[in-house]
Every structure is written in C-alpha cells, then in structure tokens.
Amino acid sequence: MSGSKKKKITKADRLKQMQEEEEKRQKEEEEARVKYEKEEMERLEIQRIENEKLQKLEAKDLERRNEELEELYLLEACFPEAEKLKRDNRFLSQWKHYIQCDGSPDPSIAQEINTFITLWKEETNETLEEVIEESKLVLNLIEKLKLILLETPPYDLQRKNIIQYQGSILELQELLHLKFNRATEILLRQASTLADLDSGNMEKVIRDENVTLYIWANLKKNPRHRSIRFSETQTGFEIPRILATSDIALRLLHTHYDHVTPLSPVLTPSQENIPIITDFVKEEVKSVQTAVSKDLQEEKKQQENESNSVHEEETKAEGQGDVEEQMCPVQEEPETTKYEMEMKLISETVLAAQELLLENACEKPNFLEENEVDLCQFTTLGGVYHLDILELPPQCKPMKGWMIVEILKEGLQKYTYPPETAEDLEAENAFPPIEVTLEVHENVIFFENPMVARWDAEGKHWKTDGISNVSYKPEERLITFNLETFCPVTLIQDAHINMPYQSWELRPLDVNKVLLTVTTVFTELQIQIKENLCMLASIKVNNKNHSTILEEKWMTPVSFIIALKKAGLNIFPTGHSHLYVVINYKHPLVEVKAYRQMALLSSAFAFCWSKWNTACDSKKAIFQVREHLLKEEPTQNPNWTLLMFSGDRAQSLKINESSDAFSEVLKEETEFHSTLYHMVKDFASQEAMRAVRRPSCQFVDSVCHMLLSTRLLSFS
C-alpha cells in the first residue's frame, strides 16, 4: 500500500529540476542564437558576393552599352529603309496610275476626284444594274483614300490633306446613296409592268459582291397580304394592315460596307509633339551641312595655298590633277552625310509614329446619350441594312405605242410610318412595330448573338432603342426583330470580345517568313507574314476549324488589319481599348523597343507568351525565347529561355514557367545586356546570328507593324 504511493518531491528537488530546465533552455537559446548569427553571416556573405557579382555585371554592361547600342542602331537601319521604300512605292503607284490612262481618277488629286464627282452627278437616268456596276469604281476610290490616310505616317500627313481626303470620301458616299435612290425611283415607275402574275405585286432581288437589294411594290393593296418573303431567301417583313392597303414600296438595300457610321478620326500627333523629333533632327542636318560647307571652304583655301607654293617647274596639268584628286573625296562627303542625316530623320519619325500607335487615351472621346452605341466599345459588322418605306411613284402607262410617265419634281419620297401627328396611344394600336427578318452576311463571324442598332439621323449616331423581340438563329444566320419605324440598321458586336489574349507565339517558317499565332477565349488565329504582306493561314472557332474567304489571300499589313476587323476577327486594340479591357499595361517605349527587336530576331528565334509578364511592373516585359532554325524538326517540349526586358536592359531569369513564385534573380552564368540581340547572342549559335542579318527590311518592318498592332505584351 505504501509502495504504491508516489514519492513526495521535496522543495530542493523541485528547485534543482527548475534550475536544470532553465539551464537547458538557456543552452538551447544560445545554440539557436549562434546558429542564427552564423546563418545570417553566411546569408550576408552570400548576398555580398551576389551584390559584388551584380555590380561587376552592371559595370560590364555599362562599359559595353554604347558599343551594343551602336550595333543595334545599325541593325535598326532597316526601319527607315523600309519607310523610304514605302514612300517610293506611294510615288510609284501615283506614276503608274498616271501612265495607265484608264479613265479612272487619282483620288488623292482634288481636281481629278472633283471632276469625276461632277460628271457622275450629271448622269441622272442610270438603272440599278448600271449604278451597281459603277459603284465598284466608287468603292475602290473610297478604299484608296482610306488606305492613304491609314498607311501614310502621321508625321507626313498635313491637316489640309486629311480634310481633303475625308471630304472626298463623304462626297462619294453621299453621291453613291443618291444614285441608288434615283435608280430605285426609275425601277418603281415601271413596277406595274414588272408585277408578279400570282400576287399582282412587284418583287425584285439584285445580288452583287458589294450590295444586295430587295424591292417590293404594293400594287394590289390586299389587306390580307401582310407577310412578305422574297423568293429564294428568308428575308422579309410582317407589315401591319395600314401598310398593306397603302400605295407604298418596301426597299431593303443591304450594303456590305458601312457608309453611315462617321469616319474614324485620323491618328495624328498632338501639336506640341510634332516639332520635337523633326525640328531637332532638321537642326542637326542643317548644322552638319553648315559644318561641311565650312570645311569645304577651308580645304579649298588650303589647297590654293599649297598649289601656289608648288615649284614653278611643275606643269600646270599636274597641279590641276592633284587638286582634282584631293577634291573628289571632299565633294563626296556632304552627299554621304546628307543621306545619313535623312535616314536619321526618317528613323526618328518612324520611332515617334510607332510610339504614337501605343498611346492610351485618358478618357472616352464623347459624352454618350441614353441608348447610344459607344463606337469605342462596339463595332458594326456585316454592313448596313437600309430599310425604307417609299411612296409608290406614278406608274408608266402605255399610250399609242408610247410609255407615258409622270415624273415628280421632288423625286423619290419616303412614306412616314408611323405618322408624326399620331398620338402615342393611337400609334401603339394602329401603327404597331414592323417585324423584320434579315440574313446575316456570310463572311462575318459573331462569337455571341449580335445586337441590333438603328441609325439616329438627327443625332448622327447608332442607338439601340425602338427595337424589340430580337431573336437570332446562328445555324441559319437569320436575325428577326421588331422595328418601330424604318431606318438604317446594323448588327454590332463587342470590339474587344477577343481581348485580352490567352497566349501568343511568333516563330520562323522560312527566309523572310514567320507565323504569328494568337489564342483568345473564342478563337485561334494563325497569321503568316512575309516581305511586306500578311495572310490569314488558319482560324479555329471554339476549337474547330473555320473557313473564311480571307484565307490564303496576301495583303499589305494595313489592308489585312482592315479585312480582319470587317470579318469580326478584331485582335487590334485602339487607344481606348484599355478603358474596356483589363490589360497588363506596359510603358509604350518598352513595348516599342521590345517589338522592334523581336522583329529583328524573328527570322531565327521564336518568341512566346509568359505567365510571369503579369507579375512584373509596367516598365518591364517578360516573354520566352528560343533559337529556331528552319532545318530543325519541331519538338514536343522545346527548351525556352525566360527573358525580362526593360527597354534599356535585357536579362535571363532563373525561374521558368513551372516555377511556384516570381523572382527577378538573374540566371546563373548569364549577364546583363542593353539589347535583346546581344542577350540571345550569348546562348545562340553562329548560324542563328548570321540568319538574323539576312531578312529584308520590308519583312522586319511588317513583323514589327503586326506586333505593334496587336500589342501582345499589354493585352495578354
């Protein structure tokens, strides 16, 4: 019993135990402190060594910086050379047009285009078929003027030229629509002679590559004939009784182009920025020319003095020969210097224009009314459907072998529906909305159900009110809606539906040929670039191959961008896009320098997206790069190098795409460089570096233009 009892701990034992625990704790603390101090000293030593190493690398980078930048400047000479070629081509195209003598005007010459417009206005009795045929030339002239405004660098465009070209575009657009109205009137005068035997009404459909015209004339005025469907189409209307019993004609003019939306403002530099580049370089040119002329005068004086001191026994011919030999190199110098300064001027203006492309607007350009479509956020697609209810003009009447027709002085008149005098309650019952069914243009891609907008002629903008019961059948490409009153309508889609991008890749295909792949939520676009041309190689929509008329068609970069936008494949941000898309903003100068140098290397190196690009700040860009020679077979898991570029410094990062956390630590056994060219030179083969110098200037410029237009580093 007593043995089972616990032994009582005395006070002395307790004190001894506490003392031992305290000693043990102090010992552990001391060991931890010593260990921490040792580790801290080791860490500081490692950090000191790393800092010294970085300082040496930075000093080395700074030491060779000028040399590397000079070499880059020589490589980037391709950009002013390409711009000079484009200028020469613009002049050459004008000359070719002049000597072609095909009767068509040069739209850039005001006198010629004004003469064309005046002469066409005088032709008043053209049929619809004749107008449609003539419209091909008019649309070509409009496209030429738009291309001039888009392809000419902002610093080369004068304000008076912009006003002239835009004025000519508007005049041609208005005159073309007026011609369609006059030709419609001529057709409707003959409606009774073209009436359908079954219905007694006239129906006509004209299809062309640029327009589709539907006209229906109500000759019988049958109140039960309220459903109108044009033959061999699904296009049609459901009209109310009051229209079914009226002397009217319904016209649907579907122009596959948009001449209703106001012209986009031309990208021009702000007035305070215009002289910054050009004046500075022009001053340099002037100063160099002055210096060269002074040197020439001094050389002449020196040579005269030397020639006077020549011994009299030397012949005069020998003396003149010596002077000529001495003068030759001096006379060549100013021409060479003048060319160099001209190229420098072009180089500076090209760089400024490229930076201008990447400038973000601070706010939306206009204040929007209620229900007004924001054209910075949305875009019109598939052209414009001009819906008109027209008063039926007096019909032709046969008389003694002649056709007599009354021609109204005021011309073709629109029928007002609903009447302006009708009260709201009466209008709702007696003048219900008209149901419209339209065919969506086959060459346009909608990634979501399209929205319908109507043109407000008074406010000069698109609006979404007055339209109800919209339904869309994507398989049949039919859209049906109710419209309160007839007016031009269009289909709209979010312009940024394919932004931001999920990934991108740029890789070489052949000499002077690369493939740019951009993957978005809905689509994957593959774009081939060669020389000064671009082509849509393939497109996938929702991971399925999609055919389009744009495939296998080579176009200039600007024309290609326009064509893709018209097809609904917009991957080209504007200055306002950042207001509607969450982007990974990068400083414009960093972007420009990155795109220019990526274009220079694109013939031998592949570039692609990196998830770490979102982790660094706006003054740095991160992407992957690897050598990609044409003879190499594609590998399943290529070895990419992760680069960080700030515009002034490039470095290889220690992390890779599968790393858990972001770090800017420099990769072992690598150095800092001032350019991407010299960065990749550290790990690239000699063959790859030789391949970088082979591409044509036009090819490099086209690749750079496409990179600038897509803004891959900010919008992915």
Side-chain angles (χ1 to χ4, degrees):
M1 191 77 178
S2 61
S4 62
K5 290 182 179 179
K6 291 182 179 179
K7 186 179 179 181
K8 189 176 180 181
I9 301 174
T10 63
K11 187 175 182 181
D13 292 338
R14 189 181 297 112
L15 288 172
K16 185 179 179 181
Q17 184 179 357
M18 290 176 63
Q19 187 176 2
E20 288 175 354
E21 289 177 354
E22 179 65 22
E23 288 175 356
K24 184 180 179 182
R25 185 184 63 79
Q26 289 178 356
K27 185 180 179 181
E28 288 176 351
E29 286 182 356
E30 179 65 17
E31 288 175 352
R33 184 185 65 79
V34 171
K35 183 180 178 182
Y36 171 77
E37 288 179 354
K38 184 180 178 182
E39 289 176 349
E40 184 66 14
M41 287 177 67
E42 288 175 353
R43 188 186 66 81
L44 291 173
E45 181 63 17
I46 291 171
Q47 187 177 348
R48 184 188 65 79
I49 294 170
E50 287 294 324
N51 287 339
E52 285 182 1
K53 184 180 177 182
L54 284 176
Q55 287 173 2
K56 288 179 181 178
L57 290 174
E58 287 174 352
K60 189 176 180 181
D61 177 39
L62 195 62
E63 184 180 343
R64 64 190 175 198
R65 179 175 175 78
N66 288 338
E67 182 184 340
E68 290 186 349
L69 291 178
E70 284 175 9
E71 191 171 359
L72 177 67
Y73 180 78
L74 294 174
L75 289 171
E76 289 188 335
C78 61
F79 293 111
E81 285 174 12
E83 183 57 39
K84 200 168 186 302
L85 275 175
K86 285 189 278 190
R87 288 181 181 180
D88 293 342
N89 287 337
R90 285 197 290 270
F91 292 131
L92 184 62
S93 64
Q94 286 183 328
W95 172 247
K96 283 182 178 178
H97 182 275
Y98 175 75
I99 62 176
Q100 200 170 12
C101 296
D102 60 355
S104 63
D106 183 342
S108 63
I109 300 175
Q111 185 178 356
E112 289 190 26
I113 197 68
N114 290 339
T115 302
F116 172 80
I117 291 171
T118 303
L119 292 175
W120 199 33
K121 278 181 181 178
E122 294 173 357
E123 299 177 20
T124 56
N125 292 317
E126 294 168 294
T127 63
L128 281 167
E129 288 78 8
E130 289 172 337
V131 171
I132 288 173
E133 189 60 34
E134 187 73 17
S135 71
K136 293 175 183 178
L137 172 59
V138 175
L139 293 173
N140 185 38
L141 294 174
I142 291 172
E143 288 305 311
K144 281 184 178 179
L145 286 169
K146 287 182 177 180
L147 279 176
I148 291 172
L149 291 171
L150 289 171
E151 289 184 336
T152 308
Y155 289 89
D156 284 350
L157 273 176
Q158 295 184 12
R159 186 65 191 162
K160 63 176 183 179
N161 294 125
I162 296 173
I163 294 171
Q164 174 198 323
Y165 299 154
Q166 289 187 331
S168 297
I169 290 171
L170 292 174
E171 275 194 80
L172 288 168
Q173 289 176 348
E174 291 170 4
L175 180 56
L176 181 57
H177 194 68
L178 177 65
K179 287 287 183 178
F180 274 114
N181 285 343
R182 287 179 178 172
T184 301
E185 182 184 5
I186 292 172
L187 176 66
L188 289 177
R189 288 182 200 147
Q190 308 166 34
S192 57
T193 64
L194 302 172
D196 181 67
L197 295 176
D198 295 330
S199 66
N201 297 317
M202 187 212 79
E203 176 191 308
K204 191 172 183 69
V205 179
I206 302 176
R207 292 184 180 273
D208 184 71
E209 58 182 311
N210 298 313
V211 297
T212 306
L213 182 66
Y214 307 86
I215 298 180
W216 178 80
N218 190 15
L219 300 172
K220 283 295 184 181
K221 296 183 281 296
N222 185 349
R224 289 175 297 185
H225 194 128
R226 295 165 59 181
S227 181
I228 302 162
R229 286 290 178 274
F230 291 94
S231 58
E232 299 181 3
T233 73
Q234 295 294 319
T235 302
F237 314 100
E238 294 290 335
I239 61 175
R241 181 184 180 89
I242 188 169
L243 291 180
T245 57
S246 301
D247 279 324
I248 61 160
L250 300 179
R251 181 183 70 173
L252 166 55
L253 173 61
H254 179 200
T255 59
H256 303 167
Y257 47 84
D258 180 2
H259 286 177
V260 176
T261 304
L263 297 175
S264 302
V266 178
L267 191 66
T268 54
S270 55
Q271 290 299 318
E272 61 268 19
N273 290 339
I274 291 175
I276 290 177
I277 300 297
T278 54
D279 288 358
F280 171 75
V281 181
K282 284 177 181 176
E283 282 297 320
E284 283 197 40
V285 174
K286 188 176 179 181
S287 63
V288 170
Q289 287 176 341
T290 305
V292 169
S293 63
K294 285 182 178 179
D295 289 343
L296 272 175
Q297 290 176 1
E298 290 176 3
E299 288 283 345
K300 285 180 180 179
K301 287 180 180 178
Q302 188 178 352
Q303 288 163 5
E304 287 174 2
N305 294 334
E306 288 176 359
S307 62
N308 290 334
S309 63
V310 174
H311 197 272
E312 292 180 359
E313 293 180 0
E314 294 182 355
T315 62
K316 188 176 180 181
E318 289 175 351
Q320 287 177 344
D322 292 340
V323 173
E324 286 177 5
E325 287 175 5
Q326 292 173 359
M327 286 292 288
C328 284
V330 178
Q331 288 176 341
E332 288 174 4
E333 186 180 355
E335 289 299 322
T336 306
T337 309
K338 187 177 179 182
Y339 174 78
E340 289 175 356
M341 295 310 296
E342 180 192 2
M343 296 307 287
K344 186 175 182 181
L345 173 61
I346 296 174
S347 179
E348 295 288 347
T349 53
V350 166
L351 179 60
Q354 289 173 341
E355 284 187 58
L356 188 66
L357 279 174
L358 305 185
E359 278 189 8
N360 288 333
C362 298
E363 56 185 16
K364 298 178 185 179
N366 298 314
F367 175 77
L368 300 176
E369 294 182 9
E370 188 179 2
N371 299 313
E372 181 184 346
V373 175
D374 183 357
L375 291 176
C376 291
Q377 182 180 4
F378 296 94
T379 182
T380 64
L381 287 178
V384 176
Y385 301 85
H386 296 265
L387 295 166
D388 295 296
I389 306 176
L390 306 169
E391 292 182 1
L392 204 57
Q395 296 299 293
C396 295
K397 296 178 182 177
M399 186 176 291
K400 297 181 181 179
W402 293 83
M403 293 296 288
I404 306 299
V405 62
E406 178 186 354
I407 298 177
L408 301 177
K409 185 178 180 181
E410 57 271 17
L412 193 66
Q413 295 296 302
K414 289 188 177 182
Y415 181 93
T416 306
Y417 179 90
E420 295 176 357
T421 55
E423 296 180 2
D424 292 342
L425 185 61
E426 180 188 348
E428 188 177 347
N429 297 323
F431 306 99
I434 302 169
E435 184 182 291
V436 181
T437 301
L438 302 175
E439 292 181 353
V440 177
H441 197 291
E442 61 182 354
N443 297 327
V444 174
I445 299 175
F446 284 96
F447 297 99
E448 293 178 344
N449 288 351
M451 295 181 284
V452 184
R454 66 172 183 85
W455 179 248
D456 181 358
E458 186 177 345
K460 302 291 182 185
H461 48 235
W462 294 104
K463 301 189 77 172
T464 55
D465 59 344
I467 301 165
S468 58
N469 300 336
V470 181
S471 66
Y472 179 57
K473 298 178 181 178
E475 296 81 12
E476 301 173 46
R477 298 187 69 82
L478 292 176
I479 189 163
T480 302
F481 54 90
N482 289 348
L483 196 60
E484 291 180 1
T485 181
F486 267 25
C487 57
V489 299
T490 190
L491 306 181
I492 59 175
Q493 179 173 259
D494 188 347
H496 309 97
I497 197 166
N498 284 311
M499 301 176 204
Y501 323 126
Q502 291 186 321
S503 64
W504 58 269
E505 183 184 12
L506 178 72
R507 62 181 174 88
L509 288 180
D510 203 344
V511 179
N512 289 330
K513 192 175 185 180
V514 297
L515 180 71
L516 173 63
T517 304
V518 180
T519 305
T520 74
V521 174
F522 294 101
T523 183
E524 179 189 276
L525 295 173
Q526 290 196 330
I527 300 167
Q528 287 188 16
I529 307 168
K530 71 171 184 179
E531 293 295 336
N532 61 333
L533 299 171
C534 301
M535 178 191 75
L536 182 62
S538 71
I539 172 175
K540 288 182 180 178
V541 178
N542 297 323
N543 296 320
K544 294 180 181 178
N545 288 327
H546 184 90
S547 60
T548 170
I549 60 167
L550 295 179
E551 288 182 80
E552 306 300 323
K553 287 188 177 180
W554 290 100
M555 292 175 266
T556 61
V558 173
S559 299
F560 178 74
I561 291 170
I562 294 171
L564 251 61
K565 284 183 175 180
K566 284 183 178 179
L569 301 170
N570 184 19
I571 53 169
F572 308 102
T574 66
H576 296 93
S577 294
H578 68 286
L579 300 171
Y580 308 97
V581 182
V582 178
I583 70 167
N584 180 28
Y585 174 75
K586 300 298 176 185
H587 193 277
L589 191 56
V590 174
E591 274 198 275
V592 168
K593 287 184 176 181
Y595 297 146
R596 284 165 68 99
Q597 295 179 40
M598 286 163 67
L600 285 169
L601 298 168
S602 62
S603 58
F605 293 87
F607 297 87
C608 83
W609 165 89
S610 168
K611 68 178 182 180
W612 299 119
N613 189 41
T614 57
C616 61
D617 59 41
S618 62
K619 293 184 179 179
K620 296 171 185 174
I622 296 177
F623 44 86
Q624 299 180 82
V625 62
R626 69 182 178 93
E627 185 178 312
H628 190 291
L629 295 175
L630 303 178
K631 64 182 181 181
E632 292 180 358
E633 292 293 328
T635 56
Q636 190 68 26
N637 297 305
N639 186 23
W640 294 94
T641 300
L642 198 62
L643 294 187
M644 184 169 72
F645 184 59
S646 65
D648 296 321
R649 173 176 289 174
Q651 69 181 78
S652 181
L653 297 181
K654 186 176 181 180
I655 59 171
N656 54 40
E657 283 300 291
S658 58
S659 299
D660 295 328
F662 175 68
S663 171
E664 294 187 6
V665 174
L666 187 70
K667 187 177 180 180
E668 293 87 348
E669 299 180 1
T670 63
E671 300 179 353
F672 295 119
H673 285 281
S674 299
T675 73
L676 291 178
Y677 172 81
H678 295 90
M679 185 71 247
V680 300
K681 195 175 180 180
D682 280 355
F683 60 80
S685 65
Q686 291 184 356
E687 187 180 352
M689 299 316 294
R690 284 195 298 270
V692 167
R693 294 179 175 271
R694 281 200 292 265
S696 69
C697 61
Q698 288 182 308
F699 164 75
V700 175
D701 184 70
S702 296
V703 174
C704 183
H705 185 92
M706 198 55 58
L707 294 175
L708 287 164
S709 300
T710 50
R711 297 192 64 180
L712 300 172
L713 296 175
S714 282
F715 280 79
S716 61

